[in-house]
C-alpha cells in the first residue's frame, strides 16, 4: 500500500509539474538494488507514465553495467540517468572489496579515480541516448563510510585523482598517473 501510494503521488506530482511547465522533464530516482529497482521500474511504467525519465543511484560495476539491459527489459520506452555513481560502496558485501572475506577495504584514491573513469566511459557514455548521462558523487569528501570514501575534492577543495580521471573521460584526454600519489588509509576506520 505504501509503494502504491508513493507511485500514485509521483504520477500526480509529475502531471501537475507538466501542467505548470510542459517543457520541464520530471524524473524520480531509485537506489540500485536489482530486485527493488526492477519492481520500481515496473511500477513506474504501469502507474506513473508522466515521469519522463528514471534516475538510478548505481555504484557497483555489476549494477551499472546491467542498467541498459534492465531498462530494455522492463521499460524500453523511457530513458534513464545514473543519478549517482562513484567508488564502490561499503554497504554491499557481495559487490564490495573485502579482505579475508570479512574486513571492508577502502581502495586507494588512484583506484577510485580509475573506477570513476571506467563507469563513465564504459557504462554511461557508451549507452548515450538511452542513458541521459550521470552525476558523479560527491564533489567534496563526504563523511560516509570513512572520511575519504567519497569525494572528487578533499575537504579543503584540493583536487583528488577522481577529478582528473573524470575530466579526462569528459574531455577525451589522457591522465598522467605519475601526477598523484596513490594514497590508502591503513588501520581501523571505525574509530
Amino acid at each position: 500500500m505504501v509503494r502504491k501510494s508513493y507511485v500514485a503521488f509521483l504520477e500526480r506530482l509529475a502531471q501537475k509539474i507538466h501542467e505548470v511547465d510542459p517543457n520541464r522533464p520530471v524524473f524520480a530516482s531509485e537506489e540500485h538494488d536489482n530486485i527493488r529497482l526492477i519492481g520500481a521500474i515496473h511500477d513506474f511504467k504501469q502507474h506513473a507514465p508522466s515521469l519522463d525519465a528514471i534516475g538510478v543511484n548505481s555504484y557497483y560495476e555489476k549494477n551499472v553495467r546491467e542498467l541498459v539491459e534492465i531498462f530494455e527489459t522492463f521499460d524500453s520506452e523511457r530513458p534513464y540517468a545514473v543519478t549517482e555513481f562513484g567508488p564502490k560502496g561499503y554497504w554491499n558485501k557481495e559487490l564490495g572489496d573485502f579482505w579475508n572475506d570479512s574486513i571492508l577495504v577502502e581502495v586507494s584514491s588512484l583506484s577510485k579515480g580509475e573506477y570513476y573513469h571506467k563507469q563513465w566511459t564504459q557504462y554511461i557514455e557508451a549507452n548515450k541516448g538511452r542513458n541521459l548521462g550521470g552525476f558523479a558523487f560527491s564533489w567534496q569528501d563526504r563523511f560516509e563510510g570513512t572520511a575519504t570514501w567519497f569525494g572528487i575534492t578533499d575537504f579543503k577543495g584540493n583536487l583528488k585523482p577522481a577529478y582528473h580521471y573524470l575530466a579526462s573521460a569528459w574531455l577525451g584526454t589522457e591522465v598522467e598517473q605519475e601526477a598523484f600519489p596513490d594514497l590508502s588509509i591503513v588501520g581501523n576506520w571505525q574509530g
Side-chain angles (χ1 to χ4, degrees):
M1 287 176 46
V2 170
R3 183 69 183 174
K4 186 176 179 181
S5 296
Y6 169 68
V7 173
F9 163 76
L10 287 177
E11 175 60 15
R12 287 190 309 274
L13 183 61
Q15 288 175 2
K16 288 183 186 220
I17 292 169
H18 285 139
E19 285 174 18
V20 172
D21 185 352
N23 298 318
R24 171 99 36 210
V26 179
F27 68 93
S29 189
E30 293 288 321
E31 294 294 326
H32 195 149
D33 169 322
N34 277 346
I35 295 168
R36 286 185 294 210
L37 177 62
I38 290 168
I41 293 168
H42 173 271
D43 291 346
F44 292 158
K45 182 176 182 176
Q46 299 301 314
H47 306 291
S50 297
L51 291 175
D52 297 299
I54 297 173
V56 181
N57 300 345
S58 193
Y59 289 86
Y60 298 101
E61 183 174 2
K62 177 185 180 301
N63 288 352
V64 73
R65 178 180 58 226
E66 295 173 348
L67 277 176
V68 72
E69 182 181 335
I70 288 170
F71 277 91
E72 287 298 325
T73 303
F74 297 100
D75 191 348
S76 61
E77 295 159 17
R78 191 171 1 212
Y80 69 94
V82 182
T83 44
E84 289 182 17
F85 74 96
K88 292 180 190 176
Y90 55 85
W91 51 84
N92 188 315
K93 187 166 184 184
E94 290 78 34
L95 300 175
D97 292 313
F98 288 82
W99 181 64
N100 287 342
D101 200 36
S102 64
I103 299 174
L104 182 62
V105 174
E106 179 180 357
V107 299
S108 73
S109 58
L110 193 56
S111 295
K112 290 177 192 175
E114 291 167 345
Y115 190 64
Y116 272 107
H117 188 278
K118 182 177 185 177
Q119 285 177 294
W120 181 263
T121 57
Q122 292 185 20
Y123 307 118
I124 298 173
E125 181 69 18
N127 295 312
K128 188 175 172 180
R130 182 79 178 95
N131 175 326
L132 299 175
F135 299 90
F137 183 84
S138 153
W139 179 252
Q140 195 170 43
D141 278 345
R142 178 180 170 94
F143 293 85
E144 180 181 339
T146 69
T148 57
W149 200 285
F150 297 103
I152 299 167
T153 67
D154 69 14
F155 69 97
K156 291 183 176 180
N158 298 307
L159 305 177
K160 294 165 95 174
Y163 173 90
H164 297 282
Y165 274 92
L166 282 168
S168 78
W170 294 332
L171 299 172
T173 59
E174 293 296 319
V175 175
E176 292 181 37
Q177 290 186 357
E178 308 81 49
F180 329 106
D182 191 15
L183 301 175
S184 297
I185 294 177
V186 178
N188 181 356
W189 59 272
Q190 301 271 346

